[in-house]
Amino acid sequence: QKREISNFDYLMYLNTLAGRSYNDYMQYPVFPWVLADYHSETLNLTDPRTFRDLSKPMGAQTVERKKKFIQRFNEVEKSEGDLSAQCHYCTHYSSAIIVASYLVRMEPFTQTFCSLQGGSFDVADRMFHSVKSTWESASRDNMSDVRELIPEFFYLPEFLTNANHFELGCMQDGTVLGDVQLPPWADGDPHKFIFLHRQALESDYVSAHLHRWIDLIFGHKQHGSAAVEAVNTYHPYFYGDKMDLNNIKDPLIKGTILGFISNFGQIPKQV
């Protein structure tokens, strides 16, 4: 608010406080989607409609989607079985596979992605190939996709190009995967995309609303009644600091929980 630190630096500082680090794919720094406009020829950073609603998690960006996740939450409550699994989301906004999929065109992330996938690239249609379609999947279309972004989206144009000429496969519509498809306002230039995307992160609108997203990811809306009200609850296994693994004697259950966390991600420590 005093303009003495950038929003980017502030978010990196919070990620570090919350125990997240570039050294751990399972607890990689998490950054927000800040834009909702991936179709315009020019980007208008003075129009609030250009931006994502930072007060809501990715699962509640549209009214229909929000209703579906609330319905899922309520249905678990009514069903017989383990009530502790009552949650809005069974997938996470940041995980090793999400990080590796964003950075798959660069080593060492290419090898990491392949090893997480069992030795090869994923089906081409599921690979990260377009900023617009990834936003649409995470904000509207795919009920198992609530991913957020990583810091590289705001400073590293190289991860958007297939400079190593990896054979990433061919999509069902015949599109051969190469460089990441950028929004029209980027003019096909990764440097321009990063420049404008960083401008958006540092814009007045984001500066005025960023604290709402921070509440969801690092703050008081992370769990408990505030999280339920904000449609922001995740599977209990994602809350690593709430699970006391030392008290779980059954090695099978313990192994299941650890596998779940490593595959699907972990909620940051509450700051």
Side-chain angles (χ1 to χ4, degrees):
Q1 295 205 340
K2 291 180 180 175
R3 310 280 176 170
E4 290 174 9
I5 186 173
S6 68
N7 290 336
F8 182 92
D9 288 337
Y10 187 58
L11 286 171
M12 281 305 298
Y13 182 68
L14 286 177
N15 270 287
T16 305
L17 283 180
R20 300 187 80 86
S21 159
Y22 283 120
N23 299 323
D24 186 350
Y25 293 147
M26 289 180 280
Q27 296 190 77
Y28 207 76
V30 56
F31 268 60
W33 288 96
V34 292
L35 293 172
D37 181 356
Y38 297 97
H39 54 268
S40 297
E41 294 294 328
T42 55
L43 197 59
N44 182 1
L45 296 179
T46 61
D47 185 351
R49 290 172 301 180
T50 300
F51 297 92
R52 165 253 179 108
D53 187 341
L54 287 158
S55 69
K56 296 187 176 106
M58 290 305 290
Q61 289 295 310
T62 69
V63 177
E64 297 79 18
R65 189 169 159 91
K66 183 179 177 181
K67 278 183 192 164
K68 285 180 186 171
F69 281 119
I70 292 172
Q71 185 182 353
R72 174 193 282 176
F73 184 89
N74 293 334
E75 279 171 358
V76 174
E77 186 180 33
K78 291 177 201 148
S79 69
E80 298 296 319
D82 184 6
L83 291 180
S84 68
Q86 183 180 20
C87 60
H88 294 108
Y89 314 116
C90 296
T91 53
H92 198 254
Y93 48 77
S94 175
S95 67
I97 196 68
I98 289 171
V99 173
S101 70
Y102 280 144
L103 300 172
V104 70
R105 289 163 178 79
M106 294 173 63
E107 290 289 16
F109 303 98
T110 314
Q111 294 304 315
T112 303
F113 182 84
C114 289
S115 65
L116 287 169
Q117 282 290 341
S120 62
F121 291 121
D122 198 359
V123 176
D125 286 82
R126 288 203 298 257
M127 297 274 285
F128 171 53
H129 65 277
S130 156
V131 178
K132 178 175 180 275
S133 65
T134 304
W135 159 255
E136 287 171 352
S137 170
S139 66
R140 189 186 70 200
D141 297 341
N142 187 345
M143 289 291 283
S144 61
D145 184 3
V146 291
R147 74 184 68 190
E148 293 279 7
L149 298 182
I150 53 175
E152 284 82 353
F153 272 86
F154 300 95
Y155 68 83
L156 190 72
E158 285 78 13
F159 87 96
L160 298 164
T161 61
N162 187 20
N164 292 318
H165 306 294
F166 292 119
E167 292 185 11
L168 302 171
C170 186
M171 293 169 67
Q172 284 184 338
D173 65 3
T175 306
V176 177
L177 258 58
D179 297 347
V180 176
Q181 293 169 12
L182 302 174
W185 45 260
D187 296 329
D189 181 352
H191 289 83
K192 185 172 182 180
F193 171 82
I194 295 291
F195 175 75
L196 291 172
H197 204 217
R198 182 63 175 268
Q199 270 197 329
L201 178 65
E202 305 299 342
S203 66
D204 289 340
Y205 179 89
V206 172
S207 297
H209 294 86
L210 190 57
H211 64 286
R212 298 182 182 279
W213 183 82
I214 289 167
D215 285 343
L216 295 167
I217 307 298
F218 302 105
H220 75 287
K221 291 183 180 176
Q222 211 186 54
H223 54 77
S225 58
V228 175
E229 199 175 319
V231 195
N232 192 43
T233 64
Y234 296 82
H235 193 284
Y237 290 171
F238 292 143
Y239 297 86
D241 55 346
K242 302 277 183 292
M243 302 288 304
D244 190 355
L245 290 171
N246 296 324
N247 287 336
I248 298 172
K249 299 289 180 269
D250 187 328
L252 191 63
I253 295 174
K254 195 170 184 176
T256 301
I257 294 171
L258 286 169
F260 202 91
I261 291 167
S262 66
N263 282 320
F264 296 110
Q266 209 169 339
I267 302 284
K269 285 179 189 157
Q270 194 171 15
V271 177

